[in-house]
Amino acid sequence: MYRKCIKRIIDLFLSIIGIVVLSPLLLAMAIAIKIDSSGPVLFKQKRIGINKTHFNIYKFRTMRIDTPRDTPTHLLTDPDQYITKMGLFLRKLSLDELPQIINILFGQMAIIGPRPALWNQYDLIAERDKYGANDIRPGLTGWAQINGRDELPIEVKAKYDGEYVRRMSFLFDLKCFVGTITVVLSRNGVVEGKRETCKMENKQEKFNDN
């Protein structure tokens, strides 16, 4: 009952409340982005949704318009040259993700669920298939995000997503939501750039050795 109906009702209700309550903040951030650098306020990107359908995810633009598309930030050679000053601030607190309230409102995403993969992250998509994690709505945040975020190897991230599918409930969603606040404030698990990617790869080697 929760998975098929209640979860969506909660997402719909909270997304409407979020848009109304956060509208002054969203407007202020939009103006700041526009003043800080040239380009659109919103950034959209093709992602994988429920049942591996495609949809456009919305974010506040945090990078210059000449940034390579469809490449995760932590895989860029030097992301610092692309991230704008306002973008750096937004990313530190994950405020760039707030426009995804629109995706939640339209039913393309949920508040809690596996983070939507890029359309070309074939390895992650294939791993999630093993656990049924592509068969539910992706989320603004999820179980994998509070257990490592960018630091997680793909296989481990997919396993966390599968665990979320198995344990999905109101109380577990609440646990993920509260955990997200802690992770965002601490900035744990965020990886951006080749230097941080090397650290992540070293951690993955240690994980594999164990």
Side-chain angles (χ1 to χ4, degrees):
M1 183 67 175
Y2 177 76
R3 297 188 181 205
K4 294 183 178 180
C5 183
I6 297 177
K7 181 177 174 67
R8 176 57 190 153
I9 292 174
I10 292 174
D11 287 339
L12 182 60
F13 176 76
L14 292 181
S15 62
I16 294 173
I17 295 298
I19 290 174
V20 173
V21 173
L22 296 175
S23 56
L25 175 62
L26 297 174
L27 178 61
M29 288 190 289
I31 294 173
I33 292 169
K34 201 66 179 176
I35 293 174
D36 181 51
S37 62
S38 61
V41 169
L42 292 180
F43 168 77
K44 67 178 182 178
Q45 190 177 55
K46 188 164 70 172
R47 297 288 182 113
I48 298 297
I50 185 171
N51 297 323
K52 291 190 284 189
T53 56
H54 291 169
F55 74 100
N56 285 321
I57 195 173
Y58 294 100
K59 293 185 177 186
F60 279 128
R61 182 177 58 81
T62 60
M63 309 186 85
R64 297 191 339 230
I65 56 177
D66 60 340
T67 304
R69 293 188 62 84
D70 296 330
T71 302
T73 306
H74 65 274
L75 294 183
L76 293 172
T77 302
D78 183 12
D80 290 339
Q81 68 173 313
Y82 297 110
I83 300 175
T84 64
K85 293 179 180 179
M86 185 61 189
L88 184 62
F89 168 76
L90 293 175
R91 294 167 79 97
K92 281 184 177 180
L93 296 176
S94 295
L95 294 174
D96 57 312
E97 309 285 355
L98 287 180
Q100 287 159 48
I101 296 175
I102 299 172
N103 294 116
I104 297 172
L105 180 66
F106 291 161
Q108 299 163 326
M109 291 177 61
I111 295 175
I112 309 296
R115 280 297 294 165
L118 282 166
W119 66 272
N120 57 359
Q121 286 183 294
Y122 305 115
D123 46 359
L124 177 58
I125 297 167
E127 282 295 316
R128 284 177 169 174
D129 268 337
K130 299 177 182 179
Y131 307 101
N134 291 316
D135 301 331
I136 63 173
R137 286 187 181 88
L140 180 63
T141 184
W143 186 229
Q145 276 56 57
I146 64 177
N147 283 284
R149 300 179 76 176
D150 298 331
E151 289 185 348
L152 294 176
I154 286 174
E155 296 82 1
V156 179
K157 183 181 293 185
K159 286 182 180 179
Y160 275 123
D161 292 333
E163 183 180 353
Y164 172 76
V165 174
R166 295 194 308 271
R167 300 176 61 183
M168 192 191 309
S169 67
F170 174 75
L171 290 179
F172 194 59
D173 277 1
L174 184 61
K175 181 177 182 178
C176 292
F177 185 82
V178 174
T180 297
I181 297 174
T182 302
V183 169
V184 168
L185 294 179
S186 66
R187 289 279 294 165
N188 286 335
V190 177
V191 177
E192 292 183 345
K194 286 293 183 182
R195 183 181 301 176
E196 292 299 325
T197 301
C198 290
K199 293 180 182 178
M200 181 174 67
E201 289 172 349
N202 290 335
K203 289 186 178 182
Q204 182 170 352
E205 289 176 2
K206 293 179 181 179
F207 175 86
N208 292 335
D209 290 341
N210 295 334

